[in-house]
Amino acid sequence: MKYLHTMVRVKNIEESLDFYCNKLGLKEVRRVENEKGRFTLIFLGAENSDEKTGLLELTYNWDPEEYTGGRNFGHLAYSVKNIYEVCEKLMNNGVTINRPPRDGHMAFIRSPDGISLEILQEGEALPVQEPWKSMENTGTW
């Protein structure tokens, strides 16, 4: 068995691509427009993803629907080389760090559609440092 992708439904393609690509750093791998089914699928990959595995599938249904409870989905998880640099970049781009990386190892953010994303430090945790050490949680994740 091989992991292929995780699918999340999104309400706004442009807002979601801005978050996942411009702010989080994923890249669009492929896109499928299905007129008969009235949906668009956009597959995104991290730097170590290939064209078929380890992907995030954004599903946009052309007919408006209300999606609730993004948290009951669980969360997406990505590892990064430097969690402090990534969280700082995200904050500078207007993303709320819901659970700051106080331990140098783990942080949580949320997508525009309320999907929780866990950011994990690759390897050992970084030394604990400010401003992260004393930063409070914001909202839920």
Side-chain angles (χ1 to χ4, degrees), residues 43-73:
F43 292 88
L44 306 177
E47 63 188 44
N48 63 348
S49 301
D50 62 36
E51 292 185 12
K52 295 187 179 192
T53 62
L55 301 177
L56 171 62
E57 173 192 322
L58 303 181
T59 297
Y60 174 74
N61 292 310
W62 300 357
D63 300 318
E65 280 184 57
E66 186 60 35
Y67 306 115
T68 59
R71 184 157 165 75
N72 69 2
F73 152 81

Side-chain angles (χ1 to χ4, degrees), residues 2 30 34 44 56 91 95 98 100 110 119 125 134 136-137:
K2 180 174 18 176
R30 70 180 181 280
N34 187 311
L44 306 177
L56 171 62
M91 283 178 48
V95 176
N98 300 104
R110 292 185 78 142
I119 311 296
S134 58
E136 296 291 324
N137 291 344

Side-chain angles (χ1 to χ4, degrees), residues 87 97-104 106-108 131-133 135-138 141:
C87 286
I97 308 298
N98 300 104
R99 194 276 192 195
R102 289 184 293 275
D103 55 4
M106 178 181 66
F108 274 89
W132 314 106
K133 178 181 176 181
M135 193 177 287
E136 296 291 324
N137 291 344
T138 302
W141 66 88

Side-chain angles (χ1 to χ4, degrees), residues 79-80 104-105 120-126:
S79 65
V80 298
H105 176 70
L120 294 168
Q121 174 63 40
E122 289 180 6
E124 297 295 318
L126 297 181

Side-chain angles (χ1 to χ4, degrees), residues 80-92 101 121 126 129 132:
V80 298
K81 293 183 186 344
N82 186 308
I83 195 165
Y84 295 143
E85 289 176 4
V86 169
C87 286
E88 184 174 350
K89 179 182 174 195
L90 289 166
M91 283 178 48
N92 290 341
Q121 174 63 40
L126 297 181
Q129 67 182 47
W132 314 106

